Amino acid sequence: MTDNEDGFEEFRDELRQVEHRVASRIDPGMRAVRIAVAVLVVLVTSVLPWVGDAVGWQVLFGAAKVGLLPVLFAAFLLGVGVLGSGLTLALRNWTLAWVCAVGGCATAVLGMLSIWTQQTGKSNKVPGPGPGFGLVIAELAAIALAVMWVKIASSRR
């Protein structure tokens, strides 16, 4: 091979690498602001009542006995909703966007089950404390995050 052909092959390899980097990035646009607002709502709900008098951070750290599902929901909401969303927005990685989308859907399902168990579970005395408004708002924020991440992750061509 001549020097021109070697140089062209190097250029072609570099072009493939750049194409791969560009293809693996997302551009959330205005959804990034909406995601940030939803994350802020999630953080605010950590000081609102979730179950009876127990607030969100007490549920997360096990300071209140509320059952397993609200604790799982709080952990998923913190892990996927707050930390995952922040990391994905910072790195703008398409794979992380899919992780947030799938994790957000799982979080939304856990939130619905958490609300349901607080209304009907045997762990509560009749009539039981029921879900607090903080838990309901956290669930709405989780649904919003899941929908936004699914739209961003599936928007890649």
Side-chain angles (χ1 to χ4, degrees):
M1 277 196 220
T2 65
D3 287 335
N4 280 344
E5 289 176 3
D6 287 338
F8 186 70
E9 286 298 320
E10 288 177 18
F11 176 71
R12 186 180 296 170
D13 290 340
E14 185 178 334
L15 190 60
R16 282 189 195 119
Q17 291 173 357
V18 169
E19 180 184 16
H20 179 68
R21 279 194 306 258
V22 169
S24 67
R25 294 184 53 85
I26 59 167
D27 182 20
M30 277 305 292
R31 285 192 186 111
V33 174
R34 293 183 200 128
I35 289 171
V37 169
V39 168
L40 180 64
V41 168
V42 166
L43 292 174
V44 168
T45 62
S46 68
V47 296
L48 297 175
W50 276 33
V51 179
D53 292 333
V55 295
W57 68 268
Q58 291 173 327
V59 170
L60 176 63
F61 294 115
K65 295 193 179 206
V66 295
L68 180 62
L69 283 172
V71 175
L72 278 175
F73 173 59
F76 268 70
L77 196 57
L78 176 67
V80 175
V82 176
L83 299 176
S85 292
L87 185 64
T88 304
L89 286 177
L91 297 177
R92 298 190 183 266
N93 185 291
W94 182 72
T95 306
L96 287 176
W98 269 112
V99 169
C100 284
V102 172
C105 291
T107 303
V109 169
L110 282 171
M112 291 299 258
L113 290 172
S114 297
I115 292 171
W116 177 68
T117 58
Q118 293 308 310
Q119 292 174 334
T120 62
K122 293 181 181 179
S123 65
N124 297 328
K125 297 176 185 172
V126 178
F133 67 93
L135 181 60
V136 174
I137 294 171
E139 171 60 10
L140 293 174
I143 291 170
L145 281 170
V147 167
M148 286 185 275
W149 280 121
V150 166
K151 285 182 179 180
I152 289 171
S154 64
S155 68
R156 181 176 172 195
R157 296 181 191 137

